[in-house]
């Protein structure tokens, strides 16, 4: 079946450090891939997405590239800020799964000033 | 601006009581979803709907029900609340265009079952 695996947290970084959160997936079809972010006390919101192999999604300085050969969609940011502290969810939506979205367990990021 | 709202934001109830959580969206989206979020489990799908009068079970549907009588609302009912249903519940909607859809989430309802 379809699944998403992302690195366990929490991840603690100093401001301006480089961020990588790993995400790998298993899917039977050709999924779209997403990163959602959840700030404290809020619902999830879309951060970026990629809908086909080799696409790069980007937003607010975050990037992720859809790698079909390694079934990965790692999230990166060159210089994190305190305001990036949140929980990040990798997700996929596969047409063979009825367009439902499958979420990873989430990775909590703490950024220290 | 279009939005998705949930009510109540916090609820405390007792074991065995029936509880209904409301979800209302003004996006005019076809698809609506209910998830629960628990530490270590991420988001798990409870029920979902692809349109009026359509409902489907997700991976953790036991003890929950939904009905979709209009486009805007998908209330979630816990028939007889159990302590294992203490969780944070999120409603979401999407346009229904396919697997590239973005889901839009409500702010969540924190439910405690004593």
């Amino acid at each position: 079946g379809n699944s998403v695996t992302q690195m366990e947290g929490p991840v603690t970084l100093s401001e301006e450090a480089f961020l990588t959160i790993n995400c790998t997936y298993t899917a039977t079809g050709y999924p779209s891939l997403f990163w959602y972010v959840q700030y404290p006390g809020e619902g999830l919101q879309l951060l970026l997405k990629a809908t086909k192999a080799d696409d790069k999604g980007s937003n607010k300085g975050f990037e992720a590239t859809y790698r079909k050969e390694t079934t990965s969609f790692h999230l990166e940011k060159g210089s994190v800020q305190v305001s990036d502290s949140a929980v990040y969810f990798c997700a996929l939506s596969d047409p063979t799964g009825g367009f439902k979205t499958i979420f990873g367990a989430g990775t909590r990021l703490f950024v220290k000033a | 601006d279009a939005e998705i709202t949930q009510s109540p934001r916090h609820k405390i109830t007792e074991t065995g009581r029936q509880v209904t959580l409301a979800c209302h969206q003004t996006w005019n989206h076809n698809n609506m979803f209910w998830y629960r979020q628990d530490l270590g489990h991420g988001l798990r799908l409870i029920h979902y709907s692809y349109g009026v009068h359509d409902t489907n079970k997700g991976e953790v549907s036991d003890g929950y029900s939904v009905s979709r009588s209009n486009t805007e609302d998908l209330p979630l009912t816990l028939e007889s609340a159990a302590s294992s249903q203490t969780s944070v519940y999120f409603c979401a909607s999407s346009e229904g265009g396919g697997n590239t859809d973005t889901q839009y989430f409500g702010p969540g309802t924190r439910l405690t079952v004593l």
Side-chain angles (χ1 to χ4, degrees):
Chain A
N2 299 334
S3 66
V4 174
T5 302
Q6 60 183 106
M7 62 188 287
E8 289 189 27
V11 174
T12 302
L13 296 173
S14 297
E15 208 164 23
E16 299 183 3
F18 185 86
L19 169 71
T20 300
I21 300 178
N22 291 334
C23 172
T24 57
Y25 68 89
T26 302
T28 53
Y30 297 94
S32 293
L33 301 174
F34 306 81
W35 277 100
Y36 285 83
V37 59
Q38 183 181 30
Y39 298 104
E42 299 183 8
L44 282 69
Q45 57 185 272
L46 179 71
L47 181 59
L48 54 84
K49 70 179 181 182
T51 59
K52 62 182 186 297
D54 300 323
D55 269 2
K56 177 186 283 188
S58 61
N59 186 25
K60 299 181 181 179
F62 292 89
E63 293 183 339
T65 301
Y66 188 162
R67 302 283 189 202
K68 192 171 188 299
E69 64 275 13
T70 55
T71 61
S72 65
F73 193 55
H74 304 320
L75 182 68
E76 297 182 335
K77 187 175 185 183
S79 177
V80 294
Q81 306 300 312
V82 172
S83 57
D84 294 327
S85 297
V87 182
Y88 293 83
F89 291 89
C90 186
L92 72 82
S93 178
D94 186 338
T96 64
F99 305 113
K100 297 189 297 292
T101 300
I102 308 298
F103 290 87
T107 301
R108 184 175 294 277
L109 170 66
F110 292 105
V111 180
K112 302 179 297 184
Chain B
D1 285 348
E3 61 178 355
I4 178 165
T5 57
Q6 295 183 233
S7 62
R9 294 294 312 277
H10 302 271
K11 174 77 176 178
I12 299 174
T13 190
E14 295 177 344
T15 302
R17 291 191 178 268
Q18 184 182 78
V19 176
T20 297
L21 309 182
C23 174
H24 180 81
Q25 54 101 358
T26 59
W27 294 95
N28 199 35
H29 284 164
N30 290 321
N31 298 348
M32 295 184 74
F33 308 85
W34 273 104
Y35 298 91
R36 58 179 290 174
Q37 184 178 31
D38 304 289
L39 200 61
H41 290 280
L43 273 78
R44 292 183 289 176
L45 183 63
I46 304 171
H47 282 287
Y48 58 102
S49 167
Y50 289 148
V52 177
H53 302 310
D54 175 74
T55 61
N56 305 279
K57 294 181 178 180
E59 62 177 309
V60 291
S61 60
D62 287 350
Y64 303 94
S65 63
V66 294
S67 63
R68 185 95 179 266
S69 59
N70 58 50
T71 300
E72 296 79 18
D73 299 291
L74 187 70
L76 177 71
T77 298
L78 287 69
E79 307 292 349
S80 176
S83 58
S84 60
Q85 294 177 309
T86 292
S87 186
V88 180
Y89 291 85
F90 288 99
C91 180
S93 69
S94 68
E95 189 172 5
N99 71 312
T100 62
D101 274 0
T102 296
Q103 292 202 6
Y104 296 85
F105 283 80
T109 294
R110 182 174 295 275
L111 176 68
T112 302
V113 182
L114 300 175

